[in-house]
Amino acid sequence: MAQGQESKCTRWTIGVTTIVFFIGIFAPLAWYAERPADTTYEVTITSVGGLDPALDLHGDRQALSLVFGLTVRVDSTHNKLFNRRIGGAGSSVVVYGDALLAKGAVPELCVKTSGVGEVAADAWGLNVQVPQFLRDRLAGELESGQAVVDVAVRTPAGCYINGCFDAVLVCKARIQGGSSPCFSM
């Protein structure tokens, strides 16, 4: 190889290596600076049936039959890369307050990038056995307007080489309150 050709080859290699190096350093930094904000999830308890504090919690009934109306809200307005999906086949919503109160399914909701969506779901418990000390505490919280229950929404997240996985959202929702933020587990 002639010396002039060797010099051109060396300069070309150094140039390409420099470009690749800077792309490798600055592309992740640029993505990090412009990354989409996380999608937020909220749950609102829209209705509660079968929970009369005077009859059900302080009375002599041994079991409760409850129905919770819930709304799950997905806010993906800052997400410019991926659609978000919750609910559908294999999903569930569970309401508990130190004891299982109700369980149901979540209809499928697909929220497009930069969008917002809501889906209504019902969770019910038939003849739920709740210990008296929890019933007394729940009655007091309902009377003071401070009743909070835990809501967990489980959605199949997909299957990969290692197996299938679920996404779980956990929320602390007020029974007589507005929407509550959820945290992904």
Side-chain angles (χ1 to χ4, degrees):
M1 202 183 251
Q3 189 170 359
Q5 289 177 333
E6 193 173 303
S7 175
K8 282 183 183 179
C9 184
T10 303
R11 283 185 281 168
W12 185 83
T13 303
I14 290 173
V16 169
T17 303
T18 303
I19 290 171
V20 169
F21 175 76
F22 281 110
I23 289 174
I25 295 292
F26 290 112
L29 292 175
W31 178 83
Y32 183 76
E34 295 296 322
R35 75 187 185 286
D38 290 336
T39 299
T40 59
Y41 301 89
E42 296 176 346
V43 165
T44 303
I45 297 176
T46 56
S47 64
V48 179
L51 190 58
D52 181 353
L55 297 175
D56 298 325
L57 299 175
H58 292 304
D60 293 329
R61 293 185 189 172
Q62 295 300 312
L64 302 176
S65 292
L66 305 169
V67 178
F68 289 87
L70 306 163
T71 299
V72 181
R73 183 174 192 270
V74 180
D75 184 346
S76 198
T77 53
H78 300 291
N79 178 355
K80 296 176 180 22
L81 296 177
F82 304 106
N83 294 341
R84 296 293 183 204
R85 180 186 161 273
I86 62 167
S91 71
S92 66
V93 60
V94 178
V95 179
Y96 53 98
D98 290 336
L100 176 66
L101 299 176
K103 184 176 181 178
V106 179
E108 184 173 22
L109 171 67
C110 183
V111 178
K112 303 287 184 190
T113 58
S114 301
V116 176
E118 290 183 346
V119 64
D122 290 321
W124 60 95
L126 182 61
N127 294 323
V128 177
Q129 299 293 323
V130 179
Q132 190 61 46
F133 75 95
L134 290 177
R135 293 165 74 141
D136 291 341
R137 187 175 77 201
L138 184 57
E141 290 172 352
L142 281 169
E143 289 169 1
S144 68
Q146 301 298 316
V148 175
V149 293
D150 295 308
V151 178
V153 178
R154 185 186 59 79
T155 298
C159 295
Y160 306 97
I161 294 171
N162 308 23
C164 296
F165 302 95
D166 292 336
V168 179
L169 302 173
V170 178
C171 323
K172 290 238 179 241
R174 289 182 52 157
I175 289 182
Q176 299 166 335
S179 63
S180 302
C182 299
F183 303 95
S184 182
M185 307 227 6

